[in-house]
Amino acid sequence: MGRAFEFRKARKMKRWAAMSKAFTRIGKDIVMAVKEGGPDPDTNAKLRAVIQNAKAVNMPKDNIERAIKRASDKSLGDFKTVLFEGYAPHGIAILIETATDNNTRTVANVRSYFNKCDGSLGVSGSVAFMFDHVCNFRIDADGKDMEELELELIDFGVEEIFEDDDGVLIYAPFESFGAIQSYLEDNDIEILSSGFEYIPQVTKKISAEEAEDVDKLLEKIEEDDDVQNVYHTMDESSSEE
């Protein structure tokens, strides 16, 4: 198995995949998708993908419809995706993905978390080069010939395909998302969920005590309402010892 498999296995164990946070995150994703391409999922591929993700975490249909209606209100401010980069204690690089309607507030909050936990907020590009930006898809494993599927998708840039308890997972470079989405839909392969992630190219093993320092900062960041995802270069096994 490759890096995407190991990365996903580690992420599934982490607390920041909590359902309450997922609803907030997807609600913002819906707003951004509608603002960008309109409220009709039949003509808005990005919105279609977000709705699939909402269903995957059992977000009620009423919540989805309310979010779409709310996003269609022209008086609603726009959310912008902003990346923050920095270092936690012990040389662990952190990449933070936010969706914010007030960048001044978000910058101040993120900077305060780093300051309080002996970290340092960096400038754009200071750690992003340590991560690969990838897209992912999850489809039902039933009746799928993994070898045949891999052969079909390799022309679309797919780098890893593997099966776990959640189904068949497909990973590819960020820019391959549209082509893979179209292929799966055109071939009537149901997409259960999809998205984007930053996978660290190299992880760093630290002691359990040092991992506690890093986790303290990660917890503060993850609790912020503007934060969508947090990625880091700490070896996940560091905090398990």
Side-chain angles (χ1 to χ4, degrees):
M1 295 294 183
R3 282 190 305 121
F5 173 80
E6 295 300 330
F7 175 74
R8 179 176 175 81
K9 185 172 68 172
R11 275 180 64 101
K12 283 178 69 175
M13 304 294 290
K14 301 303 288 184
R15 60 195 169 278
W16 41 266
M19 197 65 66
S20 59
K21 185 74 176 183
F23 282 11
T24 301
R25 184 169 60 241
I26 288 173
K28 288 186 178 181
D29 286 341
I30 289 174
V31 171
M32 290 189 288
V34 171
K35 291 280 187 181
E36 183 179 316
D40 185 358
D42 289 336
T43 57
N44 185 341
K46 186 173 182 180
L47 178 59
R48 202 157 59 242
V50 176
I51 291 173
Q52 290 160 350
N53 294 344
K55 292 177 179 177
V57 296
N58 298 315
M59 189 172 183
K61 184 179 179 182
D62 288 348
N63 290 35
I64 298 172
E65 292 175 348
R66 274 199 304 271
I68 293 173
K69 185 176 181 180
R70 178 169 165 263
S72 302
D73 184 349
K74 289 184 171 57
S75 65
L76 181 69
D78 289 342
F79 286 106
K80 301 294 184 184
T81 299
V82 182
L83 286 178
F84 292 92
E85 305 171 43
Y87 281 93
H90 316 297
I92 299 300
I94 297 182
L95 190 61
I96 306 163
E97 188 177 33
T98 68
T100 178
D101 57 357
N102 185 332
N103 194 51
T104 301
R105 175 195 66 223
T106 308
V107 171
N109 288 344
V110 171
R111 179 177 287 113
S112 73
Y113 305 143
F114 278 97
N115 291 341
K116 289 174 183 175
C117 298
D118 297 321
S120 60
L121 181 62
V123 298
S124 178
S126 58
V127 306
F129 68 92
M130 302 179 188
F131 297 81
D132 290 328
H133 198 189
V134 302
C135 65
N136 65 74
F137 293 85
R138 180 168 65 91
I139 61 176
D140 195 335
D142 289 347
K144 300 293 187 303
D145 183 316
M146 295 291 287
E147 288 188 14
E148 182 179 329
L149 184 62
E150 188 168 4
L151 286 173
E152 289 289 334
L153 289 172
I154 199 166
D155 289 338
F156 296 95
V158 169
E159 295 176 341
E160 283 192 51
I161 297 180
F162 55 87
E163 188 175 347
D164 70 5
D165 295 339
D166 294 329
V168 175
L169 282 300
I170 301 167
Y171 277 79
F174 169 82
E175 58 272 13
S176 299
F177 183 89
I180 296 171
Q181 181 187 37
S182 296
Y183 171 84
L184 295 174
E185 290 178 344
D186 291 346
N187 287 274
D188 296 320
I189 299 174
E190 183 183 4
I191 301 171
L192 301 177
S193 65
S194 61
F196 304 96
E197 293 175 288
Y198 287 89
I199 298 182
Q201 295 169 358
V202 179
T203 56
K204 182 178 180 180
K205 183 82 170 176
I206 57 178
S207 70
E209 292 77 13
E210 291 171 335
E212 288 180 10
D213 296 334
V214 177
D215 282 335
K216 183 179 177 182
L217 173 55
L218 293 176
E219 286 173 7
K220 285 187 176 295
I221 295 171
E222 289 155 6
E223 288 170 0
D224 191 291
D225 287 340
D226 291 335
V227 171
Q228 296 286 85
N229 287 292
V230 184
Y231 305 95
H232 57 80
T233 57
M234 179 175 67
D235 187 319
E236 298 288 0
S237 65
S238 299
S239 56
E240 297 171 4
E241 296 179 351

